[in-house]
């Protein structure tokens, strides 16, 4: 506050423009897909006022995320092997069998150190009393970490005096921490294993992030056509011949990874990759099949997973969730749709979501028909008024709703949550939708030491 009060409106406007110019000049962008499936590249909107989270608040977040990820990793190990959680009736077998992201092709595969989730983005919101809730778990290819790192660099450039004067936890070592985990997963015991980042290519909405992370970690950025499988081993084509690849940080969805196993028409993947993975000759990060654990219908069972695998009470609460397959819960939701948010269980980025308080009667009726036609595909949650933080908009400080996506890294030495995260901002007044794909922005997140 002291720094902001010392600046007049003109100086704040200059800093806002300076931040926008940096984003533009460095090409810090994401892609929004319109209804006709055309990609529109946009600069990621950035708010110059940092969000501040105290040390004690962060300890709760950190311990809660570590507990949650321990349970989710144990669930994934179990569900692709013994399936004891189903045998004991904690989770219905039908829920797993009907999940489109459960991949029976990788059943029984031994992953290094039994770790399935190496990088997780856990979306948190705060309720009316300030308590944290987990909104969803992103365990497949969580995105946004580059914006967390870039937001911090821009804040340091436009407010150097403010940053120096405060005791803020650092996030800049994320690429090094993640790279160390990737190296530790190498199936070959060599001093310098080959690690690559597999991208779908320039037309992917997060391509900026792929290039950024590959550069920061000092690893090659490759597409499927740059890799080849021979004798169940993966090789990268280089100017000096083929080089064996040990670890692939893949930013490619499961179904595109290997046309011999999944989508036969996928030109993005690598034929034979899954056979090399099954033989233990290459590590994939994150593991294949994680989508079963971040399915929104299975999300409702994470508190039971924590009790079942860890014998502990959950530190971070779930948002109350109604399963549309349950007739009683469905009737309850239909009677109160104006206060509910309806979500498709396997959509992300805010797509396939209906805010009951903003929807027309016609939209609600359509949602009811869609739910009745395929109840497994939907959940409902009560609309929670996200907490607000001050944002600099049109020359004034205004309150806007936010969420928080901290990034947790899981390796052989345990779980480490980077002391920061991506605070996403609903830039439209009154809006609760913070996704960048739906017009949201972001801001730097300060965790005080």
């Amino acid at each position: 506050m002291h720094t902001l009060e010392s600046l007049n409106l003109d100086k704040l406007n200059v800093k806002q423009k300076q931040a926008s110019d940096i984003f533009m000049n460095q090409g810090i962008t994401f892609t929004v897909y319109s209804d006709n499936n055309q990609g529109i590249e946009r600069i990621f909107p950035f708010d110059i006022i940092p969000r501040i989270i105290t040390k004690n608040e962060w300890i709760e977040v950190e311990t809660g995320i570590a507990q949650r990820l321990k349970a989710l990793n144990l669930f994934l190990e179990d569900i692709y092997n013994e399936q004891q959680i189903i045998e004991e009736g904690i989770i219905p077998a039908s829920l797993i069998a009907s999940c489109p992201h459960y991949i029976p092709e990788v059943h029984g595969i031994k992953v290094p150190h039994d770790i399935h989730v190496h990088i997780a983005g856990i979306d948190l919101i705060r309720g009316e009393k300030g308590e944290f809730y987990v909104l969803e778990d992103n365990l497949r290819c969580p995105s946004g970490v580059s914006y967390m790192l870039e937001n911090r660099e821009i804040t340091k450039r436009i407010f150097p005096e403010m940053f120096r004067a405060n005791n803020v936890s650092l996030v800049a070592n994320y690429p090094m921490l993640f790279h160390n985990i990737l190296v530790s997963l190498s199936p070959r015991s060599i001093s310098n294993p080959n690690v690559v980042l597999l991208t779908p290519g320039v037309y992917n909405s997060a391509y900026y992030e792929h290039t950024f992370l590959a550069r920061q970690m000092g690893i090659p950025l490759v597409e499927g056509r740059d890799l080849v499988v021979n004798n169940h081993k993966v090789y990268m084509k280089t100017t000096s011949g083929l080089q064996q690849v040990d670890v692939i940080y893949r930013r490619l969805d499961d179904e595109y990874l290997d046309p011999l196993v999944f989508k036969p028409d996928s030109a993005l993947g690598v034929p034979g990759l899954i056979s090399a993975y099954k033989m233990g000759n290459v590590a994939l990060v994150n593991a294949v099949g994680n989508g079963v654990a971040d399915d929104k219908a299975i999300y409702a069972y994470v508190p039971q997973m924590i009790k079942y695998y860890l014998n502990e009470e959950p530190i971070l609460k779930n948002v109350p969730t109604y399963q549309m397959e349950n007739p009683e819960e469905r009737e309850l939701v239909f009677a109160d749709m104006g206060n509910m948010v309806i979500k498709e269980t396997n959509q992300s980025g805010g797509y396939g979501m209906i805010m009951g308080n903003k929807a027309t009667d016609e939209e609600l009726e359509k949602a009811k028909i869609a739910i009745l036609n395929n109840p497994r595909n939907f959940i409902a949650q009560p609309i929670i008024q996200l907490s607000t933080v001050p944002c600099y908009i049109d020359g004034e400080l205004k309150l806007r709703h936010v969420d928080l996506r901290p990034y947790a890294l899981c390796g052989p030495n345990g779980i480490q949550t980077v002391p920061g995260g991506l605070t996403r901002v609903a830039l439209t007044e009154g809006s609760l939708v913070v996704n960048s794909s739906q017009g949201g922005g972001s801001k730097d997140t300060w965790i005080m030491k």
Side-chain angles (χ1 to χ4, degrees):
M1 281 304 296
H2 176 73
T3 306
L4 293 174
E5 284 170 349
S6 69
L7 298 166
N8 61 33
L9 203 59
D10 288 341
K11 285 181 180 173
L12 279 175
N13 287 336
V14 165
K15 291 188 181 294
Q16 180 77 65
K17 184 172 187 318
Q18 190 183 350
S20 298
D21 289 346
I22 294 169
F23 269 78
M24 178 71 78
N25 295 336
Q26 292 185 198
I28 304 172
T29 62
F30 67 99
T31 306
V32 174
Y33 293 99
S34 60
D35 292 341
N36 58 8
N37 219 23
Q38 287 188 317
I40 304 160
E41 202 164 12
R42 291 184 181 162
I43 299 298
F44 201 41
F46 174 71
D47 180 65
I48 61 174
I49 311 297
R51 177 192 191 171
I52 297 169
I53 295 176
T54 64
K55 183 179 180 179
N56 287 342
E57 290 172 323
W58 183 249
I59 289 169
E60 181 196 350
V61 167
E62 206 171 30
T63 53
I65 285 176
Q67 178 197 55
R68 196 172 178 95
L69 286 182
K70 274 182 203 165
L72 285 164
N73 258 318
L74 288 167
F75 167 71
L76 284 162
E77 180 66 12
D78 182 14
I79 216 71
Y80 284 110
N81 290 281
E82 304 300 320
Q83 299 194 337
Q84 289 177 330
I85 198 166
I86 293 176
E87 294 286 320
E88 297 192 27
I90 310 295
I91 290 181
S94 60
L95 202 62
I96 304 296
S98 60
C99 175
H101 297 296
Y102 174 68
I103 311 290
E105 289 86 352
V106 296
H107 189 91
I109 287 183
K110 198 72 185 155
V111 295
H113 310 285
D114 296 337
I115 299 171
H116 292 255
V117 183
H118 309 92
I119 161 72
I122 308 296
D123 290 346
L124 303 176
I125 59 172
R126 297 183 80 160
E128 291 174 5
K129 296 175 184 171
E131 70 276 41
F132 284 101
Y133 289 90
V134 176
L135 189 61
E136 61 183 56
D137 306 289
N138 296 284
L139 310 175
R140 284 174 269 176
C141 303
S143 62
V145 75
S146 61
Y147 302 123
M148 172 188 78
L149 297 169
E150 293 283 27
N151 287 353
R152 175 58 52 84
E153 288 307 307
I154 287 170
T155 302
K156 283 158 71 175
R157 282 171 69 175
I158 64 174
F159 288 121
E161 67 295 335
M162 185 163 79
F163 196 82
R164 279 195 299 269
N166 291 280
N167 207 8
V168 184
S169 298
L170 302 178
V171 297
N173 62 344
Y174 170 91
M176 181 190 73
L177 293 173
F178 189 34
H179 186 258
N180 288 346
I181 287 174
L182 294 173
V183 167
S184 73
L185 302 172
S186 171
R188 291 191 297 170
S189 298
I190 55 176
S191 59
N192 194 20
N194 280 326
V195 180
V196 301
L197 192 159
L198 175 61
T199 175
V202 294
Y203 298 109
N204 185 265
S205 61
Y207 184 70
Y208 167 78
E209 176 157 292
H210 305 166
T211 60
F212 175 88
L213 289 174
R215 191 169 60 247
Q216 291 286 316
M217 291 191 285
I219 62 176
L221 181 70
V222 300
E223 295 182 28
R225 59 191 173 187
D226 301 316
L227 302 177
V228 64
V229 175
N230 186 19
N231 196 24
H232 305 293
K233 291 177 182 173
V234 182
Y235 295 90
M236 176 174 60
K237 301 170 189 172
T238 74
T239 51
S240 53
L242 296 178
Q243 277 184 12
Q244 188 174 343
V245 173
D246 302 292
V247 183
I248 299 174
Y249 172 37
R250 49 87 173 214
R251 294 298 296 262
L252 197 57
D253 292 339
D254 290 350
E255 59 265 35
Y256 296 100
L257 280 173
D258 185 343
L260 300 182
V261 177
F262 304 120
K263 282 182 181 283
D265 58 346
S266 170
L268 302 173
V270 186
L273 178 60
I274 296 301
S275 74
Y277 181 55
K278 279 183 177 174
M279 299 288 283
N281 293 328
V282 68
L284 293 177
V285 173
N286 281 336
V288 180
N290 281 8
V292 68
D294 64 17
D295 180 301
K296 290 181 178 67
I298 287 165
Y299 154 95
Y301 289 88
V302 177
Q304 286 98 307
M305 289 179 203
I306 292 169
K307 290 171 189 168
Y308 177 72
Y309 293 115
L310 306 178
N311 198 24
E312 296 171 1
E313 287 298 315
I315 296 166
L316 294 171
K317 298 176 187 173
N318 268 18
V319 175
T321 302
Y322 301 102
Q323 304 275 18
M324 293 298 91
E325 276 196 308
N326 181 315
E328 289 175 17
E329 293 186 12
R330 189 166 65 237
E331 286 307 310
L332 194 149
V333 169
F334 280 4
D336 193 24
M337 281 189 88
N339 293 311
M340 296 285 173
V341 53
I342 313 293
K343 295 179 179 178
E344 289 189 40
T345 52
N346 290 291
Q347 286 277 24
S348 60
Y351 294 105
M353 185 168 76
I354 293 174
M355 303 293 290
N357 59 346
K358 298 283 169 81
T360 63
D361 290 343
E362 187 184 353
E363 286 170 331
L364 292 178
E365 278 306 313
K366 277 186 180 174
K368 283 182 182 177
I369 292 166
I371 289 167
L372 290 168
N373 285 339
N374 187 359
R376 166 64 177 83
N377 206 33
F378 294 89
I379 58 156
Q381 295 171 330
I383 294 171
I384 291 182
Q385 288 296 322
L386 311 187
S387 56
T388 58
V389 297
C391 300
Y392 188 69
I393 296 171
D394 299 330
E396 291 181 50
L397 283 180
K398 297 180 179 180
L399 292 179
R400 290 292 183 266
H401 294 291
V402 293
D403 78 350
L404 176 65
R405 178 179 289 184
Y407 295 92
L409 295 172
C410 311
N413 298 321
I415 296 167
Q416 187 167 0
T417 303
V418 182
L422 184 66
T423 289
R424 299 185 298 177
V425 184
L427 291 173
T428 307
E429 188 172 1
S431 172
L432 298 174
V433 183
V434 297
N435 306 78
S436 56
S437 51
Q438 309 296 317
S442 74
K443 58 164 69 212
D444 192 12
T445 307
W446 287 12
I447 310 301
M448 309 314 290
K449 288 182 185 173

